[in-house]
């Protein structure tokens, strides 16, 4: 008689269910993403006509043991919480016994990915100029040796060292020489030099070459091991890690007419130490014509990738806009104060600046950067931005909000400890209490929708979950941040993109594309692609979330014509400024 014995214990059923390699394959496939009957069969290489009976038998075994679940609506199977625990312990057992199923590589660009020997082959052909046949042989030998090492995570430098030793053993010294590292691979240095000659900017070469060394040194020697692991695995992100030991994310300067030359010299002298934004604040009595010339000189001499943001009185804004050269528009940004602006003036400003193609942000607060982060008069410098991967935490927690909040707690605590150690270094250079760091997040709405089981439209339940996540994050930062770390609602786009790329290996790209809707997680609390029932619902959501991000909250909306919409936007920004003065508006 078929079927499970009635007296069989739950543990016996679980052990029986994982005794089959095929059933283990099913569990591992479902750990990446939910799959339908047909998708699972295809992933396992089974044929419907020939193998349907056998496959159904194995599925029933896993369902009976409660290791997988079936959703009648979507007609897809998913890994249960029990199944997730079993896989986790099986993975640990495999590692302890030395039976690794997959090798994971930490790349030099802060990504992790499964080991692929074809990448060694391609690198040997590209960098060392080996023939494809010999390169493939070297790669196969390297793979066998790496499997024998039984290391949890491989690194690019370790793989390179091993390949070099194999080349020496085979008498291929002249090829090994081509793979030698000079702080970074010779091939990479050659590419940077080539680009430097095209740009004719020595600062580009200095930044790229030193940045590679600083990034590796920071990850290997400066960050606590658990923090480095979380950064590399895409659970958190520290930006800019390539200048974390020696530089800043952004800095604010106050300009007065009588000391303009001195400030300009200081800015240009320190420009290499500022990774993203130089903010200049002018006073009402400054002379706009002179300031335009100073700004033109500053913008044209900043290193690549920097932006010079400008804040000055509204009475000087028109002259400034007129004087901006076309060639400098991509290097400049405007921070526009709306506190004494009518809705008609607001509309006219937006139409003019929008036509010029200059980056800009509207605000009522004098401390907001163009990038959306707040600074204080005594602390005009921002060292780094730490980002928490919220969607990844939600997926790991399998829609369990309490479990997700615990993960957020742990990651914020680890992240804050790293940021505080960085701030301690910066205070030795810039002085005590002059530098702050920011903790932000990526994928807030995606995570909230996933936990709520909601469709693409943002509902009250989704906003309620988002508030719970942000409250926990804010409480944790306040508890461990020593008053030197603030919570803001914007993360670097590079972090949001990196999270999705890494999570694609863990959860499957199809699922992530369905949740995120693009090639990146959201980098704002409410991105422009989120759908609300009405603009009023969107405004109410802003008012709910903004108070939880006192170090910067960004509202991003599509640019639309018509005076009425500008009245509504101005009114909305005024209401937001009352609950959070550090609010900025970006129209795209």
């Amino acid at each position: 008689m078929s079927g499970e014995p009635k007296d069989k214990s739950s543990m016996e059923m679980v052990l029986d269910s994982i005794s089959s390699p095929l059933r283990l394959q099913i569990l591992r496939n479902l750990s990446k993403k939910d799959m339908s009957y047909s998708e699972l069969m295809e992933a396992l290489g089974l044929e419907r006509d020939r193998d349907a009976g056998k496959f159904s038998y194995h599925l029933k075994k896993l369902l009976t043991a409660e290791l997988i679940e079936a959703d009648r609506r979507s007609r897809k199977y998913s890994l249960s919480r029990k199944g997730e625990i079993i896989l986790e312990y099986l993975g640990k057992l495999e590692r302890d016994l030395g039976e690794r199923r997959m090798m994971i590589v930490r790349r030099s660009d802060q990504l992790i990915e499964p080991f692929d020997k074809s990448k060694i082959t391609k690198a040997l052909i590209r960098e060392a100029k080996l023939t494809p046949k010999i390169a493939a042989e070297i790669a196969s030998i390297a793979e066998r040796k790496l499997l024998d090492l039984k290391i949890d995570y491989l690194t690019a430098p370790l793989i390179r060292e091993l390949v070099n030793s194999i080349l020496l053993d085979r008498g291929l010294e002249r090829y090994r020489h081509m793979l030698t590292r000079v702080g970074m691979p010779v091939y990479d240095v050659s590419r940077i030099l080539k680009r430097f000659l095209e740009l004719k900017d020595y600062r580009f070469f200095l930044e790229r070459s030193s940045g590679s060394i600083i990034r590796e040194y920071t990850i290997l020697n400066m960050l606590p091991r658990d923090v480095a692991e979380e950064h590399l695995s895409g659970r958190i992100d520290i930006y800019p890690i390539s200048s974390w030991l020696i530089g800043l994310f952004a800095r604010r300067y106050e300009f007065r007419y009588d000391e303009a030359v001195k400030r300009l010299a200081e800015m240009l002298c320190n420009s290499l130490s500022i990774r993203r934004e130089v903010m200049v604040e002018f006073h009402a009595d400054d002379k706009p014509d002179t300031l335009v010339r100073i700004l033109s000189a500053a913008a044209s001499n900043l290193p690549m990738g920097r932006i010079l943001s400008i804040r000055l009185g509204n009475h000087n804004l028109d002259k400034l806009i007129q004087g901006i050269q076309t060639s400098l528009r991509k290097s400049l940004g405007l921070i526009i104060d709306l506190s004494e602006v009518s809705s008609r003036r607001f509309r006219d400003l937006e139409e003019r600046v929008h036509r010029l193609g200059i980056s800009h942000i509207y605000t009522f607060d004098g401390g907001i950067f163009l990038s959306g982060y707040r600074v204080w008069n005594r602390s005009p410098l921002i060292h780094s931005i730490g980002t928490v991967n919220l969607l990844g935490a939600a997926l790991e927690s399998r829609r369990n909000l309490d479990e997700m909040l615990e993960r957020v707690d742990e990651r914020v605590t680890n992240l804050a400890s790293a940021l505080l150690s960085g701030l301690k270094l910066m205070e030795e250079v810039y002085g005590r209490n002059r530098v702050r760091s920011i903790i932000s997040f990526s994928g807030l709405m995606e995570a909230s929708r996933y936990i709520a089981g909601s469709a693409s439209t943002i509902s009250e339940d989704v906003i309620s979950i988002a508030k719970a996540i942000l409250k926990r994050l804010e409480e944790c930062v306040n508890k461990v941040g020593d008053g030197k770390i603030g919570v803001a609602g914007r993360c670097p786009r590079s972090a949001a993109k990196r999270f999705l790329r890494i999570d694609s290996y863990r959860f499957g790209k199809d699922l992530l594309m369905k949740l995120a809707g693009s090639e990146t997680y959201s980098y704002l609390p409410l991105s422009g692609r989120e759908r609300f029932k009405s603009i009023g619902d969107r405004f109410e959501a802003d008012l709910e979330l903004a108070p939880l991000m006192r170090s910067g909250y960004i509202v991003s909306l599509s640019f639309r014509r018509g005076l009425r919409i500008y009245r509504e936007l101005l009114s909305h920004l005024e209401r937001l400024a009352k609950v959070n003065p550090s609010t900025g508006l970006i129209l795209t």
Side-chain angles (χ1 to χ4, degrees), residues 382-400:
I382 296 177
H383 176 225
S384 53
I385 314 297
T387 306
V388 180
N389 180 354
L390 294 181
L391 180 54
L395 288 163
E396 288 175 10
S397 304
R398 307 288 299 179
R399 291 198 169 98
N400 185 317

Side-chain angles (χ1 to χ4, degrees), residues 81-126:
R81 178 60 183 150
K82 186 189 290 187
E84 188 178 20
I85 292 170
I86 291 297
L87 268 190
E88 186 177 324
Y89 277 97
L90 281 174
K92 184 178 185 303
L93 187 61
E94 285 177 341
R95 289 193 295 273
D96 291 344
L97 295 175
E99 297 178 2
R100 294 186 56 81
R101 182 173 57 87
M102 179 186 293
M103 293 188 290
I104 300 297
V105 180
R106 294 175 181 160
R107 287 175 22 178
S108 57
D109 58 359
Q110 309 173 63
L111 291 173
I112 62 168
E113 64 182 14
F115 173 80
D116 181 356
K117 71 175 181 181
S118 69
K119 294 192 175 182
I120 296 178
T121 303
K122 291 174 184 175
L124 287 169
I125 295 169
R126 182 181 66 243

Side-chain angles (χ1 to χ4, degrees), residues 279 281 310-312 314 317 334-341 346 349-350 360-375 552-555 569-570 572-574 576-577 580-587:
M279 174 185 171
E281 185 169 3
I310 309 151
R311 175 191 295 281
L312 73 168
N314 283 308
L317 192 56
L334 298 178
I335 303 165
I336 303 173
D337 186 356
L338 291 180
S339 56
E340 297 180 3
V341 172
F346 177 21
L349 275 173
E350 172 58 27
H360 56 289
I361 186 172
Y362 297 101
T363 179
F364 282 81
D365 182 9
I368 295 265
F369 275 89
L370 181 76
S371 48
Y373 304 112
R374 185 183 183 356
V375 292
Y553 181 79
I554 297 296
V555 181
L569 287 175
L570 195 59
H572 182 49
L573 204 58
E574 285 177 331
L576 280 171
N580 182 358
S582 306
T583 299
L585 169 68
I586 295 175
L587 296 175

